[in-house]
Amino acid sequence: MNIVAFKHFDFDDEYAFRTWAGLRGHRLEVRDPSAGINEEWMHDLDLLIICGGPMSVYEEDRYPWLIREKQFVQQAMQLGKKVLGICFGAQMIAELLGSPVHGNEYKEIGWHVIHRTEERHSWLAGLPEEFTSFQWHGDTFALPEDTQLLAYSEACKVQAFAYGEHVLGLQFHLETTPACMETMFEHWSSELIEAPYIQTAEQIRRRFELSGQSHKALHLILDQISMSR
C-alpha cells in the first residue's frame, strides 16, 4: 500500500505507523499539511491517515491551511480511498460529513477505557469489547448521519465511527509513545488541571506499559485496513 499520513505537530511520534509499514512492506510518507498539499499525492494513494493535532478543526481563521487539507480529505473520501482519522483527524471527518465539532463537557487526558458497541466493522475485527487507550482531547461531535457508532467512553459518546467500508474515525490515540507523552507534558502542562477525566502526568507515567498493547491494537486495525478492498 501507498500511505500518506498528515502530521500536525512536530513532536508527534510516527513510530507505531513506521514500524507497521516497515514490517508489512508498505510505503509510508509523512507530510505536514501546513506546508502545502500536492494534488499528485492522491494518484497512488491507498490509505490516508489524518493524525492528531493541538488545533481545532473549526479554527480555519487561525490556521488557513486547514481549508486545503479538508478539501483533500473530502476528495479522498469521495474517490473511495481508505481514510483513517485519529482524534483531530476523526473530528475533521465528522465535520466533512456534516456534524459540527465543538468543545466537549469534559476533556479526556490520560488512560481511559473504551467500550465497543454492538455495531461491527471489519477494520476493528480482533479488538476486545473493552480496552484502555491514551486520550488527549477537548472537542467532540455528534455521530454523523449514515455512519456506524463503533465505540464510546464514559466522558465521550463517540470514540469510534465508520462511514461505509472505507472511512474510520478514532477519537483515541493508540499510536502515542511514552516519549511523545513526556513532550506533551512539557508543552501543554497548563491542560493538566484537576478535573474528572484528566489524569496527572505521574498517573499517566505509571501506565506507560499500556503503550505497547496499544501499538499492537493499532497494528491489528492497520492489518484489517490493508486487507480490505
Side-chain angles (χ1 to χ4, degrees), residues 41-59:
W41 299 344
M42 192 71 74
H43 295 166
D44 298 322
L45 180 67
D46 296 307
L47 169 63
L48 174 63
I49 301 173
I50 315 155
C51 299
M55 65 290 296
S56 294
V57 298
Y58 44 79
E59 292 185 304

Side-chain angles (χ1 to χ4, degrees), residues 36-146:
I37 288 178
N38 189 335
E39 192 62 39
E40 303 242 334
W41 299 344
M42 192 71 74
H43 295 166
D44 298 322
L45 180 67
D46 296 307
L47 169 63
L48 174 63
I49 301 173
I50 315 155
C51 299
M55 65 290 296
S56 294
V57 298
Y58 44 79
E59 292 185 304
E60 292 171 340
D61 289 344
R62 187 175 178 186
Y63 305 100
W65 49 266
L66 279 171
I67 297 171
R68 182 67 191 97
E69 180 176 1
K70 290 178 184 180
Q71 291 170 344
F72 189 90
V73 175
Q74 182 81 69
Q75 184 183 7
M77 293 195 295
Q78 289 172 345
L79 291 172
K81 304 289 187 178
K82 299 174 185 179
V83 179
L84 171 64
I86 296 173
C87 195
F88 171 81
Q91 294 162 13
M92 182 177 291
I93 292 170
E95 182 187 80
L96 291 171
L97 294 175
S99 186
V101 176
H102 54 84
N104 195 14
E105 182 179 1
Y106 299 106
K107 281 188 176 182
E108 279 184 308
I109 299 177
W111 302 101
H112 294 282
V113 178
I114 309 295
H115 307 272
R116 293 185 62 183
T117 68
E118 294 182 359
E119 292 282 341
R120 302 291 96 171
H121 192 277
S122 62
W123 289 8
L124 296 189
L127 262 62
E129 295 304 304
E130 289 186 4
F131 56 94
T132 300
S133 178
F134 183 69
Q135 309 249 18
W136 194 306
H137 72 101
D139 285 340
T140 191
F141 49 88
L143 184 69
E145 289 187 18
D146 301 319

Side-chain angles (χ1 to χ4, degrees), residues 114-219:
I114 309 295
H115 307 272
R116 293 185 62 183
T117 68
E118 294 182 359
E119 292 282 341
R120 302 291 96 171
H121 192 277
S122 62
W123 289 8
L124 296 189
L127 262 62
E129 295 304 304
E130 289 186 4
F131 56 94
T132 300
S133 178
F134 183 69
Q135 309 249 18
W136 194 306
H137 72 101
D139 285 340
T140 191
F141 49 88
L143 184 69
E145 289 187 18
D146 301 319
T147 63
Q148 291 176 276
L149 177 62
L150 301 176
Y152 64 94
S153 69
E154 189 172 299
C156 184
K157 294 178 181 178
V158 184
Q159 285 284 354
F161 70 96
Y163 177 60
E165 296 300 317
H166 68 287
V167 178
L168 177 67
L170 304 178
Q171 183 61 70
F172 47 93
H173 291 278
L174 294 172
E175 80 287 356
T176 311
T177 62
C180 184
M181 293 178 208
E182 289 288 2
T183 312
M184 287 175 163
F185 301 156
E186 295 173 16
H187 284 251
W188 304 326
S189 59
S190 62
E191 294 193 44
L192 298 177
I193 62 174
E194 187 173 345
Y197 298 98
I198 297 179
Q199 296 165 10
T200 66
E202 189 51 44
Q203 286 174 319
I204 295 170
R205 287 189 186 102
R206 285 203 292 265
R207 305 190 76 187
F208 270 174
E209 77 281 355
L210 292 176
S211 180
Q213 298 175 27
S214 294
H215 289 183
K216 289 179 182 178
L218 176 62
H219 289 184

